[in-house]
Amino acid sequence: MSGILRTDDLSKRFGRTPVLDRVTFDVAEGSVFALVGPNGAGKTTTIKILMNIIEPTTGRAEVLGADSRRLLPQHFAQIGYVSENQELPEWMTVDYFLNYLKPFYPTWDEGRARGLVDQFALPRSRKLKHLSRGMRMKAALVSSLAYRPRLLVLDEPFTGLDPLVRDELIEGLVESAEQTTILLSSHDLTEIETFASHVGYLDHGRLQFSDDMRSLTERFREIEVTLDAPAILPDAWPPAWLRAETSSTVVRFVDSRFDEGRTLGEVRRLFGDEARITVNPMPLRAIFVALARSTKSSQTAA
Amino acid sequence: MRQALHIFGKDVRQFWPQIVLVVMITAMFAYADIESWPTVPGAIDSAGIARVFPFGDNARPLIGPDADYGLDAVTFGDNVSMLADLVVLAWCCLIALVILAEPIPGDRQFWLTRPYDRRSLWGAKTLFVLTFISLPMLVAQAAIIASDGLPVASSLSGLLWDQVLFAAVIAFPAMALATVTQRMTQFVFLLFLGAFAAGGLAFLFLIPILPLVPPWYLQGHRMGSLNWLPELAGFAAITATAFAIMFLQFMRRRTSRSLVLAAAGAIVAFAVFWFTPWTPVFAVQSQLANQLDGSLRAEISRPESNLPSYGTSGTLRLPMRIAGLPAGTLIACEGATVQIESPSGAAWQSDVIRLGSRTSQAPDGCRVMAQVENAFFNSNRDQQVRIQSSLYFTVFGNERSTSMMPSAEPISVPGVGMCRASLHGLPSVNRGGPAVMCRTAFRWPPRLVWVRDDTGRGDVFVDTMSYSPFPAELRISPVESYWARASLDQTGAVTIVTQDPIAHVRADVELRDVRLGDLEFGVR
């Protein structure tokens, strides 16, 4: 692996409760990596380990080439971190907060900081505790973008924000994405779809897959097969075909390894040459819903 | 260093109202302390000498022997003492506030993912404590000393040492405690829990009112003038624990380990305070003093034999006489061990019998009382036994005297402080007779100070002073005041005598062929 950030068999237990189970992924420099999954999947725990806020039980993580447990101030000077539940020094005004942080960062760009404050319409003299949730997130984001970090880590940055604020934040992120590697966690897929280049799906502490966005969306297709007679699912059902359902003469499923020639050939082999096949691309949200339900049903079956 | 100053500046900006409040409380304390010292004899208080640590030797009298405090004096002193407690509490809270500005336990603090240099953070917090707690304390103490007419310049070592002690025993442990908490409520809870636990245990050990704590236990744990050594060792344990916790927290963020360490440190400190063996303490003290030549010897006075007896106490009374003392010296009896061997070969060995460093018996030697095991005593009562004893005592020499006339103004007495002789002392102490009051900065000097009367004997100011070589004891109020009864010589003057502890001696004595029952105490 040669990423700016990587994990290697990362596991974490809180007492006897496993939270992460041998998670391995790699974030390439310049990418926007979205770590997605349902609530309680282990996204925040992963990020906290990466930021050396907590330590892994086993395995290791590397951030900017350093062991996450050995992150030094010079590493944090290149990392921006914004979290939905981060406790900010609420007694500070926006201006004082930014001025206080400025000497910590050799690359602090005062012009950029001012520009971001204006762009987000942050009230400079208002204390952080008197800001709305959205405003606080904006202030935190400004304080993490002003020094042009190499790595920006965002933990559920859009949770609970109204759509307008969310769009503003995303706009701010997209602008900085060219020069910054971004790792963000989210359980809201539509908001990351527009700008994530890579995605990792975490569920019950296990990384189900990690892939770049384009190959992911190309890999998944919703297939609808219309037959002349009532549909019956064959016994030899390919494991990569998820969420199969039948309705009268129609069979629907999600192919998680779509390859036009191979998939269509396999459908014809199972349902006959008369079968009429419709192939639909899937939005990210539909892909993850399919994955989540498929995982859930396989766990129930087990 | 630059980052430490930056964080320090932020903390000052955040907590300036609290800083102002705490400095005001400190100033109020200084003012009250200055006002509490009497301008006329009769209102001297003991409680004004505020001891901030519960393991201090509060049990011993703070004003000369036979001290009896008037109600007014105690009430007045209590107010100053309460203010001293408030000052310490305010300081601890300010320490907690500044540490909790960047709480160490937890996973949501913004500073965890910022380029904070941990040493700078630790340095900034320490700088804050030194600037807004130690410095105001130093200024307040200097003001109190100056207001009391004591020379500030010559008290500088005491001033600085008291800051070191306070930082090591109060401020740094408070910092360490704050580093394992996330919120002020947790800190206050732990602070009071610790204080109650320590105070409660100390109470159990000090006040033998429970069946579990028999009366001999209190006597058995008195170190007398040697108390400073286990106290210092206990302080060292507390300070080392505090530093270890701060290192773990600031540099590694290991709260669970720190909590375990805190509990272990508290247990070690408590054990050191209360269970340090007496004999090695005396050995250390001996090493710190000069050695006398070998002419000193002790002997047990042989009792008259076969006097009629009227009961059994099982307690031996061993009058020890010291011979070969240099001229002009006095002794203080520190402790003794006793071993008895019967003709049949049976033996009994005492623990160390602590004699409390009292000098009142000095001219006569030391009187050792040994509670012998009942079975052994009863079976050997009429036997001719051999008694071996080791007597530990301190020799005071280098006598210097200062004569002074009763006056309204105090004069400087070398080696003591500022003293004033009065024809009419504290009624409850001396029935209004002549008395001398002396004030010293930070601690009573580590020497015997007494007022000589016409017979060459006299009254000591403090019968168990500390032999500590350090210039201050842990306290906030920097001035001590003590009284002694005085008698005027033919010229109407009062003579104050000082004698230094010049040696701490162990003398081994033996008494052969003595009937055990003849040494029994109080049954004749």
Side-chain angles (χ1 to χ4, degrees):
Chain A
M1 289 188 290
S2 59
I4 194 169
L5 185 154
R6 66 178 194 174
T7 67
D8 200 1
D9 275 342
L10 200 63
S11 295
K12 179 69 183 176
R13 301 178 74 90
F14 289 118
R16 292 182 177 181
T17 310
V19 180
L20 286 183
D21 185 12
R22 288 170 292 154
V23 170
T24 300
F25 66 91
D26 192 351
V27 178
E29 185 145 21
S31 63
V32 178
F33 189 101
L35 193 59
V36 298
N39 288 330
K43 304 185 295 293
T44 296
T45 302
T46 306
I47 284 179
K48 282 181 175 170
I49 290 172
L50 290 169
M51 293 293 98
N52 194 26
I53 296 172
I54 57 176
E55 287 201 343
T57 307
T58 56
R60 67 195 300 266
E62 271 187 21
V63 179
L64 301 177
D67 188 319
S68 66
R69 286 168 293 200
R70 303 278 181 273
L71 285 179
L72 299 170
Q74 54 262 41
H75 295 120
F76 280 116
Q78 303 174 70
I79 299 172
Y81 171 75
V82 177
S83 167
E84 60 157 341
N85 52 20
Q86 196 172 22
E87 289 170 355
L88 297 176
E90 299 203 321
W91 63 277
M92 291 184 187
T93 62
V94 171
D95 254 356
Y96 186 77
F97 181 49
L98 297 176
N99 285 331
Y100 174 65
L101 292 176
K102 188 173 156 184
F104 287 91
Y105 297 96
T107 57
W108 186 274
D109 182 342
E110 185 59 26
R112 180 170 167 79
R114 274 199 228 107
L116 286 165
V117 167
D118 291 340
Q119 181 186 338
F120 288 145
L122 283 169
R124 294 175 181 276
S125 56
R126 197 176 297 173
K127 288 184 175 177
L128 295 177
K129 68 180 168 189
H130 295 142
L131 295 180
S132 67
R133 182 180 165 75
M135 285 287 196
R136 269 207 294 270
M137 288 301 289
K138 285 180 185 175
L141 193 61
V142 171
S143 75
S144 296
L145 291 177
Y147 47 92
R148 302 183 190 279
R150 271 182 74 195
L151 173 65
L152 185 60
V153 179
L154 307 165
D155 185 13
E156 301 276 5
F158 311 117
T159 304
L161 300 183
D162 65 61
L164 189 63
V165 174
R166 196 175 59 190
D167 289 348
E168 283 178 336
L169 285 179
I170 290 173
E171 195 179 324
L173 284 177
V174 168
E175 282 173 18
S176 59
E178 290 172 9
Q179 48 203 322
T180 302
T181 305
I182 299 175
L183 168 69
L184 82 162
S185 73
S186 180
H187 61 265
D188 190 341
L189 303 166
T190 49
E191 66 199 9
I192 63 158
E193 193 166 13
T194 51
F195 66 100
S197 63
H198 291 71
V199 66
Y201 179 67
L202 203 56
D203 191 22
H204 287 89
R206 289 189 180 173
L207 189 69
Q208 303 297 337
F209 64 83
S210 168
D211 213 340
D212 69 89
M213 203 71 149
R214 186 183 295 172
S215 79
L216 183 74
T217 48
E218 283 175 1
R219 263 193 319 119
F220 280 80
R221 287 289 184 277
E222 191 176 53
I223 312 287
E224 189 176 285
V225 183
T226 307
L227 306 171
D228 293 334
I232 300 169
L233 293 184
D235 291 338
W237 191 255
W241 292 3
L242 312 175
R243 297 196 61 216
E245 55 187 31
T246 57
S247 167
S248 181
T249 58
V250 178
V251 176
R252 289 191 196 86
F253 63 89
V254 173
D255 185 0
S256 61
R257 288 181 192 163
F258 179 75
D259 175 272
E260 190 166 4
R262 185 171 53 79
T263 301
L264 296 183
E266 188 72 2
V267 170
R268 291 208 169 86
R269 189 179 66 78
L270 291 172
F271 294 102
D273 290 338
E274 292 77 24
R276 291 179 295 284
I277 305 167
T278 311
V279 177
N280 294 315
M282 294 174 70
L284 193 60
R285 182 183 179 78
I287 293 172
F288 282 102
V289 168
L291 276 170
R293 291 191 178 163
S294 172
T295 308
K296 199 171 180 179
S297 45
S298 61
Q299 281 170 348
T300 309
Chain B
M1 184 61 185
R2 186 187 285 179
Q3 193 181 99
L5 289 174
H6 184 60
I7 299 168
F8 171 78
K10 181 265 297 177
D11 287 337
V12 174
R13 183 181 167 123
Q14 183 178 3
F15 296 116
W16 71 264
Q18 290 89 341
I19 292 169
V20 169
L21 182 66
V22 169
V23 170
M24 280 174 60
I25 292 173
T26 308
M28 272 171 55
F29 164 74
Y31 176 77
D33 195 276
I34 290 166
E35 290 295 306
S36 74
W37 296 115
T39 52
V40 293
I44 179 70
D45 67 276
S46 67
I49 301 164
R51 288 191 157 273
V52 296
F53 203 77
F55 296 130
D57 46 359
N58 279 337
R60 75 185 194 198
L62 292 173
I63 301 181
D66 308 319
D68 181 13
Y69 316 122
L71 182 63
D72 291 346
V74 170
T75 306
F76 193 72
D78 280 349
N79 292 336
V80 180
S81 181
M82 282 173 59
L83 203 49
D85 293 341
L86 180 65
V87 169
V88 175
L89 188 63
W91 285 342
C92 288
C93 288
L94 186 60
I95 288 169
L97 277 176
V98 76
I99 296 289
L100 293 175
E102 275 93 2
I104 290 173
D107 57 3
R108 296 183 174 190
Q109 309 89 304
F110 87 100
W111 70 271
L112 291 178
T113 51
R114 299 289 178 176
Y116 269 64
D117 179 272
R118 300 294 178 86
R119 286 167 301 181
S120 295
L121 180 64
W122 190 358
K125 304 304 175 184
T126 306
L127 182 64
F128 186 95
V129 169
L130 295 179
T131 307
F132 297 112
I133 289 172
S134 293
L135 189 61
M137 179 181 170
L138 187 138
V139 171
Q141 290 185 328
I144 292 169
I145 290 168
S147 300
D148 216 48
L150 293 163
V152 176
S154 58
S155 304
L156 202 58
S157 60
L159 265 173
L160 295 176
W161 182 245
D162 203 28
Q163 306 315 309
V164 170
L165 277 181
F166 181 83
V169 181
I170 303 293
F172 293 150
M175 282 177 75
L177 185 66
T179 62
V180 297
T181 58
Q182 281 180 279
R183 285 178 293 281
M184 195 66 185
T185 46
Q186 287 179 344
F187 174 82
V188 172
F189 175 75
L190 282 177
L191 186 70
F192 279 100
L193 186 72
F196 280 122
L201 286 170
F203 180 82
L204 281 178
F205 282 87
L206 276 174
I207 313 289
I209 54 170
L210 299 176
L212 293 173
V213 188
W216 52 260
Y217 201 84
L218 179 61
Q219 179 63 30
H221 282 79
R222 272 188 184 158
M223 286 276 180
S225 300
L226 306 172
N227 196 52
W228 70 275
L229 270 165
E231 195 172 87
L232 190 70
F235 288 171
I238 290 172
T239 309
T241 305
F243 267 94
I245 291 172
M246 283 194 285
F247 177 81
L248 275 178
Q249 289 298 88
F250 279 113
M251 306 305 288
R252 302 273 186 270
R253 293 184 66 234
R254 296 280 189 278
T255 303
S256 302
R257 286 184 205 175
S258 295
L259 287 170
V260 171
L261 188 63
I267 291 167
V268 169
F270 194 84
V272 167
F273 275 122
W274 287 101
F275 303 113
T276 303
W278 190 91
T279 313
V281 169
F282 187 85
V284 172
Q285 185 71 62
S286 300
Q287 291 300 312
L288 297 175
N290 297 324
Q291 302 298 314
L292 288 180
D293 60 35
S295 61
L296 267 183
R297 69 178 195 283
E299 58 185 42
I300 304 172
S301 303
R302 185 170 285 277
E304 290 184 54
S305 66
N306 294 320
L307 289 174
S309 64
Y310 305 101
T312 302
S313 69
T315 302
L316 295 190
R317 179 171 180 260
L318 302 173
M320 303 271 198
R321 283 166 31 118
I322 314 293
L325 281 169
T329 55
L330 289 175
I331 62 164
C333 307
E334 307 289 359
T337 57
V338 177
Q339 186 178 359
I340 306 170
E341 277 182 35
S342 73
S344 64
W348 174 83
Q349 167 88 50
S350 75
D351 292 331
V352 174
I353 300 159
R354 301 181 192 193
L355 302 175
S357 309
R358 298 187 72 87
T359 53
S360 56
Q361 306 163 24
D364 306 316
C366 301
R367 203 166 292 138
V368 177
M369 308 290 278
Q371 177 75 47
V372 184
E373 187 189 7
N374 276 343
F376 181 87
F377 191 87
N378 292 332
S379 59
N380 292 285
R381 193 164 190 269
D382 295 316
Q383 301 291 319
Q384 298 291 313
V385 297
R386 184 170 78 129
I387 296 177
Q388 290 175 296
S389 176
S390 293
L391 178 67
Y392 301 86
F393 58 95
T394 298
V395 181
F396 292 92
N398 299 338
E399 179 180 312
R400 284 161 294 176
S401 61
T402 304
S403 289
M404 60 192 300
M405 301 296 287
S407 71
E409 292 303 316
I411 66 163
S412 174
V413 175
V416 182
M418 302 299 290
C419 297
R420 186 163 72 87
S422 170
L423 291 174
H424 305 289
L426 189 65
S428 55
V429 171
N430 198 18
R431 295 184 182 179
V436 179
M437 184 182 80
C438 290
R439 297 179 192 181
T440 61
F442 289 106
R443 56 165 298 187
W444 187 252
R447 53 181 59 92
L448 190 61
V449 185
W450 53 289
V451 181
R452 181 147 58 200
D453 64 18
D454 289 337
T455 67
R457 302 183 66 153
D459 190 20
V460 292
F461 285 82
V462 181
D463 59 351
T464 50
M465 88 293 293
S466 170
Y467 297 147
S468 166
F470 296 105
E473 290 175 1
L474 180 61
R475 61 183 61 224
I476 302 176
S477 182
V479 178
E480 285 194 27
S481 185
Y482 291 97
W483 282 87
R485 288 181 287 263
S487 63
L488 307 181
D489 63 16
Q490 291 171 344
T491 63
V494 172
T495 303
I496 297 177
V497 179
T498 65
Q499 289 174 288
D500 300 325
I502 55 174
H504 304 280
V505 182
R506 168 185 162 167
D508 296 323
V509 296
E510 188 181 71
L511 187 63
R512 287 177 175 275
D513 302 326
V514 61
R515 183 178 161 268
L516 189 60
D518 290 341
L519 292 163
E520 195 172 7
F521 171 67
V523 294
R524 271 167 253 290

